[in-house]
Amino acid sequence: DRNDKPTTAESGYYFLQSPTVETARPHSNLQIPAKTQNDQPIDILKIRKDFPILSQKVNGKQLVYLDNGASSQKPQQVIDAIANYYKEINANVHRGVHTLSQLATDAFEAARAKIQQHINAKESYEVILTSGTTHSINIVANGFSNMLKVGDEILISALEHHSNIVPWQMLCERTGATLKVIPMNLDGELLMAEFDSLLNPNTKIVAVNHVSNALGTINPIRYIIAEAHKGGAAVLIDGAQSVAHIKPDMQELDCDFYTFSAHKICGPTGTGVLFGKEEWLNKLLPFQGGGEMIKEVTFEKTTYADLPYKFEAGTPNIAGVVGFGAAIDYLNEVGMDAIAQQEEEILKYATAELLKIPELKIWGTAQEKVSVISFNVGNLHPYDIGTILDNSGIAVRTGHHCAQPIMNFCKIPGTVRASFSFYNTIEEVDLLVKAILKAQKMLS
Ligand code: PMP
């Protein structure tokens, strides 16, 4: 076990060039400057060559991968970083004096430092490495177990993924606190006047997503954070769907917690982040007990390690974290502004083309949204459309997208969701439209 805080030493095991520093987008909306100093428009064909899977055929057809909201594809640079870690420096971290263990520790902590820099967290120990967003939210919800009582309120929104609903319901069951919900409208926007009236001195936690996975809405989190703070509530932002599109700045946003998963931003599965402000992380109970998270253990009493290790019990996903660092480097090399610009163009084009399809209805028409389009075609079942698209090599998601309350509100069983990444092309949108028209013909 290690009790000291990680260094931000540059001595890590890098497989890529050091990242270019990007200007953070000033607001969580899609008003993107035409071109910023660090950003050239994306050379998509060059970028696509970085992703081996994109040249695959599926069901005899060229793969068109439009399920990026569920998980993104991985560039060769990330795959190499993971393979090289296992080939060259594999060992457990934080434990040994031997060389490989130190190299592994350096690589692991270098990735933490890259993530810290990417999200502009004040301290590297405010970046807790977890198995993903779900784990991160559960750490926070569990951590509040001894801080809430009957009469206290937790405020979430109607747009949440199940992983930002269920942990809070479980916390309410444990503590007697009450769960309240900010309602939405049929455009997929939160009703902010209702938010204002739901906030009250009993509100102890506000937990909302930055971007809705089901509809693509970008929520007004700056306002939510500022208003919730006036009454002293802690604010958790679920960034699972935003980080692929928007570079979040922890110091500027001023949220208390921010969570995301590496696999949605070109990194591997099984690793993610809980950002937490130091003062809040110090107050939370640890989630899991075990090795790495202790200062001293006797049978009578255990004292916990300092941040971040208090929340990192057991052997972490070291190779995954190294791959996570490589994914951050990759995104910065492409440029987050360039990514946003490319995705905005594809969103505009895809929206216009899809709306030409008779009886196609888009769910999620918020003013501010990312490149996610949820839709239904007449009364056709989303699964049937998804299956026919798959036969054409097109991967989309169908169903409730782990957001059943949204589907209930819209009175639909589910949607077809096409979620676009910076490596998707206009030609792929055309193939999607063609395949939907074919499905419509076959199913009607
Ligand atoms: N929140 C949102 C908004 C999501 O889209 C997802 C993933 N679909 C999660 C949380 C959970 O992320 P993970 O499965 O990586 O833990």
Side-chain angles (χ1 to χ4, degrees), residues 7-19 77 80-82 84-85 88-89 103-104 106-115 117 322 325-329 333:
T7 65
T8 50
E10 296 288 338
S11 59
Y13 191 78
Y14 288 95
F15 304 104
L16 285 167
Q17 307 295 315
S18 53
Q77 290 86 332
D80 286 347
I82 296 167
N84 289 344
Y85 166 80
E88 295 169 15
I89 60 168
L103 283 173
D106 283 349
F108 185 79
E109 293 303 342
R112 192 194 308 270
K114 285 178 200 187
I115 298 163
Q117 187 190 0
V322 170
I328 299 266
D329 283 345
E333 274 169 28

Side-chain angles (χ1 to χ4, degrees), residues 115 127-133 135-136 259-263 268-275 312 317 320-321 324:
I115 298 163
V127 175
I128 311 293
L129 293 163
T130 67
S131 69
T133 308
H135 182 199
S136 303
T259 60
F260 58 101
S261 305
H263 71 94
T269 52
T271 181
V273 163
L274 164 62
F275 160 81
E312 294 183 358
N317 180 357
V321 168
F324 193 171

Side-chain angles (χ1 to χ4, degrees), residues 6-168:
T7 65
T8 50
E10 296 288 338
S11 59
Y13 191 78
Y14 288 95
F15 304 104
L16 285 167
Q17 307 295 315
S18 53
T20 29
V21 176
E22 300 292 354
T23 356
R25 291 173 62 191
H27 299 291
S28 63
N29 57 34
L30 289 173
Q31 286 154 19
I32 302 144
K35 211 182 270 181
T36 56
Q37 18 168 208
N38 293 319
D39 274 302
Q40 296 302 316
I42 283 179
D43 180 347
I44 298 198
L45 293 183
K46 183 167 167 278
I47 279 179
R48 286 179 69 85
K49 290 202 181 112
D50 290 335
F51 293 80
I53 209 169
L54 294 181
S55 53
Q56 269 205 143
K57 289 201 165 170
V58 168
N59 294 323
K61 305 276 166 38
Q62 178 57 47
L63 169 66
V64 175
Y65 188 76
L66 304 179
D67 194 17
N68 297 286
S71 203
S72 64
Q73 295 303 347
K74 320 303 170 201
Q76 190 63 49
Q77 290 86 332
V78 169
I79 298 167
D80 286 347
I82 296 167
N84 289 344
Y85 166 80
Y86 278 125
K87 279 195 241 167
E88 295 169 15
I89 60 168
N90 176 53
N92 212 330
V93 290
H94 301 149
R95 289 195 172 114
V97 290
H98 65 81
T99 303
L100 286 189
S101 175
Q102 283 176 5
L103 283 173
T105 303
D106 283 349
F108 185 79
E109 293 303 342
R112 192 194 308 270
K114 285 178 200 187
I115 298 163
Q116 176 202 355
Q117 187 190 0
H118 188 73
I119 63 173
N120 195 25
K122 204 162 143 209
E123 308 290 351
S124 63
Y125 53 79
E126 291 177 321
V127 175
I128 311 293
L129 293 163
T130 67
S131 69
T133 308
T134 304
H135 182 199
S136 303
I137 297 173
N138 275 279
I139 289 176
V140 179
N142 181 77
F144 271 93
S145 295
N146 66 352
M147 283 192 260
L148 297 189
K149 56 179 187 327
V150 176
D152 288 341
E153 295 177 8
I154 300 169
L155 186 53
I156 61 170
S157 91
L159 283 173
E160 299 313 312
H161 185 281
H162 296 163
S163 39
N164 202 27
I165 300 174
V166 184
W168 305 114

Side-chain angles (χ1 to χ4, degrees), residues 314-367:
T315 300
N317 180 357
I318 308 164
V321 168
V322 170
F324 193 171
I328 299 266
D329 283 345
Y330 186 82
L331 288 186
N332 283 316
E333 274 169 28
V334 177
M336 289 304 294
D337 286 348
I339 286 174
Q341 196 159 340
Q342 161 68 12
E343 289 175 349
E344 190 193 18
E345 276 167 27
I346 209 153
L347 173 66
K348 260 198 224 147
Y349 181 76
T351 304
E353 292 304 304
L354 286 169
L355 284 174
K356 289 180 189 163
I357 296 175
E359 290 190 78
L360 185 142
K361 176 175 171 51
I362 292 180
W363 296 96
T365 47
Q367 285 276 312

Side-chain angles (χ1 to χ4, degrees), residues 151-157 178-183 190-208 220-237 256:
D152 288 341
E153 295 177 8
I154 300 169
L155 186 53
I156 61 170
S157 91
T178 307
L179 192 69
K180 296 273 169 100
V181 182
I182 311 163
L190 295 181
L191 303 182
M192 297 312 290
E194 300 278 342
F195 165 71
D196 291 339
S197 54
L198 280 164
L199 262 188
N200 71 73
N202 296 325
T203 312
K204 295 292 184 277
I205 301 167
V206 177
V208 294
I221 59 164
R222 279 177 185 72
Y223 180 79
I224 290 174
I225 294 164
E227 291 304 303
H229 278 169
K230 285 183 189 162
V235 184
L236 178 141
I237 303 296
D256 303 294

Side-chain angles (χ1 to χ4, degrees), residues 259-337:
T259 60
F260 58 101
S261 305
H263 71 94
K264 311 244 192 213
I265 53 166
C266 301
T269 52
T271 181
V273 163
L274 164 62
F275 160 81
K277 278 188 193 157
E278 181 176 6
E279 62 264 35
W280 274 111
L281 290 175
N282 280 331
K283 280 187 217 165
L284 294 190
L285 289 172
F287 183 44
Q288 290 182 304
E292 292 287 325
M293 55 77 73
I294 59 91
K295 217 169 233 165
E296 214 174 315
V297 177
T298 66
F299 287 118
E300 287 70 42
K301 188 175 164 56
T302 289
T303 49
Y304 304 131
D306 292 332
L307 300 174
Y309 307 110
K310 174 181 159 190
F311 295 104
E312 294 183 358
T315 300
N317 180 357
I318 308 164
V321 168
V322 170
F324 193 171
I328 299 266
D329 283 345
Y330 186 82
L331 288 186
N332 283 316
E333 274 169 28
V334 177
M336 289 304 294
D337 286 348

